[in-house]
Amino acid sequence: MQKIYGYLRRACQEFDLIGDGDRIAVGVSGGKDSMVLLAGLAGMRRFYEKRYEVCAITLDPRFGGVENDYSAVERLCEKLGVEFRLIRTDIGEIVFDIRKEPNPCSLCAKMRRGALHDAAKAMGCNKIALGHNNDDAIETFIMNLFHEGRIGCFAPISYLSRKDITLIRPLVFAPEHAVLACAKRNNLEIVKSKCPADKHTARQDAKEFLAALEHENNGVKMRIFGAMRKAGIDRWGYGD
């Protein structure tokens, strides 16, 4: 967990992600990224220079109308001393069964974001932490470039004026392999995704493309990330 603490602290300090008195809702899907983020932020409370609170919110899309088992998330929250709220939704049914979306990811993400923002506000939080790692940032940049013809990525921190809440992504310096290693070393129980589109998305295509590129040209992912930072796109610049 020490390496993850280092990545978290670096992101929090460089992008000013956490302030004194923050109450942060961690969006926890049960995957490796969100579970490591939850454990990392909860543990970092012991020594970080800013005082903050952490709670966890899990949204169950109920794919196929079936409730998923998130007891692993509940057990981790109990171990960490973190308040946990599980919200069952009809997102899976709406996206896949009623709307029958040919490209379901966009609508699903939009609905999940709305539900998460509302739940965080109801729990008295002023910030939401999402588990995007460094690979996610690079993949998003490539997806935007190839699919939309634009230079852009999600931001490490963004304020949502309509909801009066701030989104933060404290894991953005942590490469995916480091997150996976941390989850394994700390025996974190992972909740398997039940999404019908899992592994069949544009993000998966970008991941495989970058893996092949990295195999042929070692270090290319870090050079892409460095270019994102040097260009200062979407608040990724140095010292902004």
PDB file of all heavy atoms in Angstrom, residues 189-208:
ATOM      1  N   GLU A 189     -10.864  -8.225  -1.734  1.00  0.00           N
ATOM      2  CA  GLU A 189     -11.865  -9.005  -2.468  1.00  0.00           C
ATOM      3  C   GLU A 189     -12.450  -8.139  -3.584  1.00  0.00           C
ATOM      4  O   GLU A 189     -12.913  -7.033  -3.331  1.00  0.00           O
ATOM      5  CB  GLU A 189     -12.987  -9.452  -1.535  1.00  0.00           C
ATOM      6  CG  GLU A 189     -12.550 -10.341  -0.394  1.00  0.00           C
ATOM      7  CD  GLU A 189     -13.729 -10.689   0.498  1.00  0.00           C
ATOM      8  OE1 GLU A 189     -14.557 -11.535   0.096  1.00  0.00           O
ATOM      9  OE2 GLU A 189     -13.839 -10.093   1.586  1.00  0.00           O
ATOM     10  N   ILE A 190     -12.433  -8.664  -4.775  1.00  0.00           N
ATOM     11  CA  ILE A 190     -12.917  -7.917  -5.928  1.00  0.00           C
ATOM     12  C   ILE A 190     -14.299  -8.432  -6.344  1.00  0.00           C
ATOM     13  O   ILE A 190     -14.536  -9.639  -6.395  1.00  0.00           O
ATOM     14  CB  ILE A 190     -11.932  -8.041  -7.111  1.00  0.00           C
ATOM     15  CG1 ILE A 190     -10.529  -7.582  -6.681  1.00  0.00           C
ATOM     16  CG2 ILE A 190     -12.435  -7.240  -8.299  1.00  0.00           C
ATOM     17  CD1 ILE A 190     -10.469  -6.180  -6.128  1.00  0.00           C
ATOM     18  N   VAL A 191     -15.188  -7.503  -6.637  1.00  0.00           N
ATOM     19  CA  VAL A 191     -16.531  -7.848  -7.104  1.00  0.00           C
ATOM     20  C   VAL A 191     -16.498  -7.912  -8.623  1.00  0.00           C
ATOM     21  O   VAL A 191     -16.170  -6.923  -9.286  1.00  0.00           O
ATOM     22  CB  VAL A 191     -17.567  -6.803  -6.639  1.00  0.00           C
ATOM     23  CG1 VAL A 191     -18.961  -7.175  -7.156  1.00  0.00           C
ATOM     24  CG2 VAL A 191     -17.566  -6.693  -5.119  1.00  0.00           C
ATOM     25  N   LYS A 192     -16.826  -9.058  -9.170  1.00  0.00           N
ATOM     26  CA  LYS A 192     -16.778  -9.237 -10.624  1.00  0.00           C
ATOM     27  C   LYS A 192     -17.898  -8.460 -11.290  1.00  0.00           C
ATOM     28  O   LYS A 192     -19.047  -8.485 -10.849  1.00  0.00           O
ATOM     29  CB  LYS A 192     -16.896 -10.717 -10.982  1.00  0.00           C
ATOM     30  CG  LYS A 192     -16.782 -10.997 -12.476  1.00  0.00           C
ATOM     31  CD  LYS A 192     -16.712 -12.476 -12.772  1.00  0.00           C
ATOM     32  CE  LYS A 192     -16.720 -12.746 -14.268  1.00  0.00           C
ATOM     33  NZ  LYS A 192     -15.657 -12.044 -14.979  1.00  0.00           N
ATOM     34  N   SER A 193     -17.551  -7.761 -12.370  1.00  0.00           N
ATOM     35  CA  SER A 193     -18.541  -6.999 -13.115  1.00  0.00           C
ATOM     36  C   SER A 193     -19.524  -7.934 -13.818  1.00  0.00           C
ATOM     37  O   SER A 193     -19.127  -8.936 -14.426  1.00  0.00           O
ATOM     38  CB  SER A 193     -17.850  -6.113 -14.158  1.00  0.00           C
ATOM     39  OG  SER A 193     -18.804  -5.511 -15.012  1.00  0.00           O
ATOM     40  N   LYS A 194     -20.807  -7.597 -13.749  1.00  0.00           N
ATOM     41  CA  LYS A 194     -21.845  -8.373 -14.425  1.00  0.00           C
ATOM     42  C   LYS A 194     -22.331  -7.661 -15.687  1.00  0.00           C
ATOM     43  O   LYS A 194     -23.321  -8.078 -16.285  1.00  0.00           O
ATOM     44  CB  LYS A 194     -23.024  -8.590 -13.467  1.00  0.00           C
ATOM     45  CG  LYS A 194     -22.689  -9.371 -12.203  1.00  0.00           C
ATOM     46  CD  LYS A 194     -22.322 -10.799 -12.525  1.00  0.00           C
ATOM     47  CE  LYS A 194     -22.007 -11.604 -11.267  1.00  0.00           C
ATOM     48  NZ  LYS A 194     -23.184 -11.798 -10.402  1.00  0.00           N
ATOM     49  N   CYS A 195     -21.630  -6.599 -16.084  1.00  0.00           N
ATOM     50  CA  CYS A 195     -22.061  -5.827 -17.243  1.00  0.00           C
ATOM     51  C   CYS A 195     -21.971  -6.676 -18.515  1.00  0.00           C
ATOM     52  O   CYS A 195     -20.913  -7.261 -18.797  1.00  0.00           O
ATOM     53  CB  CYS A 195     -21.201  -4.575 -17.395  1.00  0.00           C
ATOM     54  SG  CYS A 195     -21.565  -3.630 -18.897  1.00  0.00           S
ATOM     55  N   PRO A 196     -23.047  -6.738 -19.304  1.00  0.00           N
ATOM     56  CA  PRO A 196     -23.021  -7.521 -20.546  1.00  0.00           C
ATOM     57  C   PRO A 196     -21.998  -7.013 -21.558  1.00  0.00           C
ATOM     58  O   PRO A 196     -21.564  -7.771 -22.431  1.00  0.00           O
ATOM     59  CB  PRO A 196     -24.450  -7.357 -21.094  1.00  0.00           C
ATOM     60  CG  PRO A 196     -25.276  -6.968 -19.926  1.00  0.00           C
ATOM     61  CD  PRO A 196     -24.378  -6.163 -19.038  1.00  0.00           C
ATOM     62  N   ALA A 197     -21.625  -5.742 -21.454  1.00  0.00           N
ATOM     63  CA  ALA A 197     -20.676  -5.160 -22.413  1.00  0.00           C
ATOM     64  C   ALA A 197     -19.236  -5.243 -21.934  1.00  0.00           C
ATOM     65  O   ALA A 197     -18.319  -4.762 -22.618  1.00  0.00           O
ATOM     66  CB  ALA A 197     -21.045  -3.703 -22.688  1.00  0.00           C
ATOM     67  N   ASP A 198     -18.995  -5.838 -20.774  1.00  0.00           N
ATOM     68  CA  ASP A 198     -17.650  -5.894 -20.216  1.00  0.00           C
ATOM     69  C   ASP A 198     -16.690  -6.579 -21.186  1.00  0.00           C
ATOM     70  O   ASP A 198     -17.004  -7.638 -21.744  1.00  0.00           O
ATOM     71  CB  ASP A 198     -17.676  -6.657 -18.886  1.00  0.00           C
ATOM     72  CG  ASP A 198     -16.376  -6.512 -18.115  1.00  0.00           C
ATOM     73  OD1 ASP A 198     -15.761  -5.437 -18.202  1.00  0.00           O
ATOM     74  OD2 ASP A 198     -15.985  -7.472 -17.425  1.00  0.00           O
ATOM     75  N   LYS A 199     -15.526  -5.980 -21.408  1.00  0.00           N
ATOM     76  CA  LYS A 199     -14.484  -6.470 -22.311  1.00  0.00           C
ATOM     77  C   LYS A 199     -14.855  -6.321 -23.790  1.00  0.00           C
ATOM     78  O   LYS A 199     -14.142  -6.820 -24.659  1.00  0.00           O
ATOM     79  CB  LYS A 199     -14.149  -7.943 -22.020  1.00  0.00           C
ATOM     80  CG  LYS A 199     -13.758  -8.235 -20.586  1.00  0.00           C
ATOM     81  CD  LYS A 199     -12.529  -7.464 -20.153  1.00  0.00           C
ATOM     82  CE  LYS A 199     -12.129  -7.834 -18.722  1.00  0.00           C
ATOM     83  NZ  LYS A 199     -10.985  -7.017 -18.237  1.00  0.00           N
ATOM     84  N   HIS A 200     -15.964  -5.643 -24.083  1.00  0.00           N
ATOM     85  CA  HIS A 200     -16.376  -5.447 -25.485  1.00  0.00           C
ATOM     86  C   HIS A 200     -16.679  -3.963 -25.722  1.00  0.00           C
ATOM     87  O   HIS A 200     -17.720  -3.607 -26.251  1.00  0.00           O
ATOM     88  CB  HIS A 200     -17.602  -6.292 -25.815  1.00  0.00           C
ATOM     89  CG  HIS A 200     -17.395  -7.756 -25.592  1.00  0.00           C
ATOM     90  ND1 HIS A 200     -16.683  -8.554 -26.466  1.00  0.00           N
ATOM     91  CD2 HIS A 200     -17.790  -8.567 -24.581  1.00  0.00           C
ATOM     92  CE1 HIS A 200     -16.659  -9.800 -26.011  1.00  0.00           C
ATOM     93  NE2 HIS A 200     -17.322  -9.833 -24.873  1.00  0.00           N
ATOM     94  N   THR A 201     -15.754  -3.112 -25.307  1.00  0.00           N
ATOM     95  CA  THR A 201     -15.979  -1.673 -25.352  1.00  0.00           C
ATOM     96  C   THR A 201     -14.853  -0.970 -26.104  1.00  0.00           C
ATOM     97  O   THR A 201     -13.796  -1.553 -26.378  1.00  0.00           O
ATOM     98  CB  THR A 201     -16.040  -1.100 -23.924  1.00  0.00           C
ATOM     99  OG1 THR A 201     -14.763  -1.314 -23.282  1.00  0.00           O
ATOM    100  CG2 THR A 201     -17.137  -1.771 -23.101  1.00  0.00           C
ATOM    101  N   ALA A 202     -15.099   0.308 -26.425  1.00  0.00           N
ATOM    102  CA  ALA A 202     -14.061   1.116 -27.059  1.00  0.00           C
ATOM    103  C   ALA A 202     -12.852   1.252 -26.139  1.00  0.00           C
ATOM    104  O   ALA A 202     -11.705   1.317 -26.609  1.00  0.00           O
ATOM    105  CB  ALA A 202     -14.621   2.488 -27.417  1.00  0.00           C
ATOM    106  N   ARG A 203     -13.096   1.281 -24.831  1.00  0.00           N
ATOM    107  CA  ARG A 203     -11.972   1.373 -23.889  1.00  0.00           C
ATOM    108  C   ARG A 203     -11.111   0.117 -23.946  1.00  0.00           C
ATOM    109  O   ARG A 203      -9.880   0.198 -23.879  1.00  0.00           O
ATOM    110  CB  ARG A 203     -12.476   1.604 -22.458  1.00  0.00           C
ATOM    111  CG  ARG A 203     -11.339   1.718 -21.439  1.00  0.00           C
ATOM    112  CD  ARG A 203     -11.813   2.245 -20.113  1.00  0.00           C
ATOM    113  NE  ARG A 203     -12.338   3.590 -20.225  1.00  0.00           N
ATOM    114  CZ  ARG A 203     -11.585   4.686 -20.267  1.00  0.00           C
ATOM    115  NH1 ARG A 203     -10.257   4.589 -20.221  1.00  0.00           N
ATOM    116  NH2 ARG A 203     -12.141   5.870 -20.341  1.00  0.00           N
ATOM    117  N   GLN A 204     -11.739  -1.035 -24.062  1.00  0.00           N
ATOM    118  CA  GLN A 204     -10.968  -2.269 -24.170  1.00  0.00           C
ATOM    119  C   GLN A 204     -10.129  -2.265 -25.442  1.00  0.00           C
ATOM    120  O   GLN A 204      -8.977  -2.697 -25.449  1.00  0.00           O
ATOM    121  CB  GLN A 204     -11.903  -3.478 -24.155  1.00  0.00           C
ATOM    122  CG  GLN A 204     -11.187  -4.826 -24.197  1.00  0.00           C
ATOM    123  CD  GLN A 204     -10.329  -5.088 -22.970  1.00  0.00           C
ATOM    124  OE1 GLN A 204     -10.616  -4.582 -21.887  1.00  0.00           O
ATOM    125  NE2 GLN A 204      -9.266  -5.864 -23.135  1.00  0.00           N
ATOM    126  N   ASP A 205     -10.707  -1.755 -26.526  1.00  0.00           N
ATOM    127  CA  ASP A 205      -9.952  -1.642 -27.785  1.00  0.00           C
ATOM    128  C   ASP A 205      -8.744  -0.737 -27.610  1.00  0.00           C
ATOM    129  O   ASP A 205      -7.645  -1.037 -28.104  1.00  0.00           O
ATOM    130  CB  ASP A 205     -10.854  -1.089 -28.895  1.00  0.00           C
ATOM    131  CG  ASP A 205     -11.944  -2.059 -29.307  1.00  0.00           C
ATOM    132  OD1 ASP A 205     -11.817  -3.260 -29.009  1.00  0.00           O
ATOM    133  OD2 ASP A 205     -12.932  -1.611 -29.915  1.00  0.00           O
ATOM    134  N   ALA A 206      -8.946   0.400 -26.917  1.00  0.00           N
ATOM    135  CA  ALA A 206      -7.836   1.333 -26.684  1.00  0.00           C
ATOM    136  C   ALA A 206      -6.771   0.693 -25.799  1.00  0.00           C
ATOM    137  O   ALA A 206      -5.563   0.879 -26.033  1.00  0.00           O
ATOM    138  CB  ALA A 206      -8.360   2.616 -26.042  1.00  0.00           C
ATOM    139  N   LYS A 207      -7.209  -0.073 -24.807  1.00  0.00           N
ATOM    140  CA  LYS A 207      -6.266  -0.751 -23.915  1.00  0.00           C
ATOM    141  C   LYS A 207      -5.393  -1.737 -24.696  1.00  0.00           C
ATOM    142  O   LYS A 207      -4.169  -1.782 -24.516  1.00  0.00           O
ATOM    143  CB  LYS A 207      -7.051  -1.484 -22.814  1.00  0.00           C
ATOM    144  CG  LYS A 207      -6.181  -2.124 -21.730  1.00  0.00           C
ATOM    145  CD  LYS A 207      -7.039  -2.869 -20.726  1.00  0.00           C
ATOM    146  CE  LYS A 207      -7.943  -1.947 -19.955  1.00  0.00           C
ATOM    147  NZ  LYS A 207      -7.167  -1.053 -19.033  1.00  0.00           N
ATOM    148  N   GLU A 208      -6.034  -2.510 -25.571  1.00  0.00           N
ATOM    149  CA  GLU A 208      -5.291  -3.497 -26.356  1.00  0.00           C
ATOM    150  C   GLU A 208      -4.369  -2.817 -27.373  1.00  0.00           C
ATOM    151  O   GLU A 208      -3.243  -3.287 -27.609  1.00  0.00           O
ATOM    152  CB  GLU A 208      -6.272  -4.441 -27.054  1.00  0.00           C
ATOM    153  CG  GLU A 208      -7.035  -5.328 -26.066  1.00  0.00           C
ATOM    154  CD  GLU A 208      -8.139  -6.141 -26.730  1.00  0.00           C
ATOM    155  OE1 GLU A 208      -8.261  -6.082 -27.978  1.00  0.00           O
ATOM    156  OE2 GLU A 208      -8.870  -6.837 -26.003  1.00  0.00           O
TER     157      GLU A 208
END
